[in-house]
Structure formats: structure tokens, C-alpha cells
Amino acid sequence: MVEVTGRCLCGTVRLHVAGDVIQSLHCHCESCRRATSSPVGSFFTIRRADAELWGETLTFFASSPGVRRGFCNRCGSPMSYQSDERPEEIDLYLASLEDAAGIVVDGHSYWNERVDWLQVVDDLPKDL
């Protein structure tokens, strides 16, 4: 079990998590790359009931059918990913946490969509 807090860049959107981490991945899919403007999105999955995400600038964007991405509409920080395929779960970005030391990344997802200019050197499983 972990208990962690986090926030967006400007601090207007906040999160608090107290529960078991289901998984934690580096996602290489094109959608995550575009949503974060980075070569990889690193996130952890938690039960929605174990996560609080709030703030006056918290906004959601339907990035594809059945998918909602939460972000701060003041500073633009991505905060969450939710899918109708996993209604009881929410993905939160590791980089938004005050301290992510207690969360171990399990592997890489969508490895086949990775950018070719980023050198990834680890022994984590690919395409989880």
C-alpha cells in the first residue's frame, strides 16, 4: 500500500492516493506521447475509490471514445487517464507526485509505438 500526494505545475489541481498500486508503467503509445508532449508517459494505476483528484481548474478531455484525460486548465499539466474499459481504476502520472519513491515501475506498454530517438536501457518487461 502507498500513500502519496501530488499536484499540477501551478498547484491548483491536487491529488491524494491511499491504496494498493495495481500496476505502474512507462507508456509509449502515440496518444500518451501527444497528451504529455514527451517521449513516454509514466503512470501508476490505482482503484478510483483510493484516489482523490480535485481543484477548481481540473478539466477533462475525451481524447478518444471511452477515454477521459484529466488536466489543469490553468497550467496544462496532465493529471489522469480514465477508460470505460477499466471503470474501477484510474491512472495517475508519476511525475505529478511529491515523492514517487514507493512506486516501482513494472514495465513498458505499447513498446512497438516508441520513438526511435529515445534510448531506453533497462531490463523491464516490454509490451505489458
Side-chain angles (χ1 to χ4, degrees):
M1 183 177 144
V2 298
E3 184 164 2
V4 292
T5 59
R7 64 178 179 84
C8 65
L9 177 62
C10 70
T12 310
V13 175
R14 300 217 168 249
L15 66 90
H16 175 260
V17 171
D20 293 324
V21 174
I22 297 168
Q23 68 178 351
S24 182
L25 298 170
H26 298 303
C27 185
H28 298 268
C29 80
E30 181 181 1
S31 183
C32 282
R33 290 194 326 264
R34 294 197 183 278
T36 62
S37 293
S38 63
V40 61
S42 298
F43 65 90
F44 67 105
T45 305
I46 195 96
R47 289 182 49 237
R48 279 194 198 185
D50 295 337
E52 296 176 80
L53 184 63
W54 72 94
E56 64 184 51
T57 61
L58 178 61
T59 302
F60 292 92
F61 171 69
S63 61
S64 56
V67 172
R68 291 176 5 140
R69 292 178 183 269
F71 67 97
C72 174
N73 71 20
R74 179 177 292 160
C75 67
S77 296
M79 299 299 294
S80 67
Y81 173 95
Q82 299 172 57
S83 170
D84 289 349
E85 292 179 9
R86 299 180 289 120
E88 302 298 319
E89 300 174 358
I90 185 170
D91 300 329
L92 302 168
Y93 290 91
L94 283 166
S96 69
L97 296 179
E98 303 295 338
D99 181 5
I103 300 175
V104 177
V105 175
D106 302 319
H108 298 267
S109 63
Y110 294 93
W111 182 250
N112 60 328
E113 292 185 33
R114 71 190 180 282
V115 295
D116 59 3
W117 48 266
L118 177 68
Q119 186 69 25
V120 177
V121 182
D122 65 34
D123 293 329
L124 295 174
K126 312 299 192 270
D127 249 350
L128 292 179

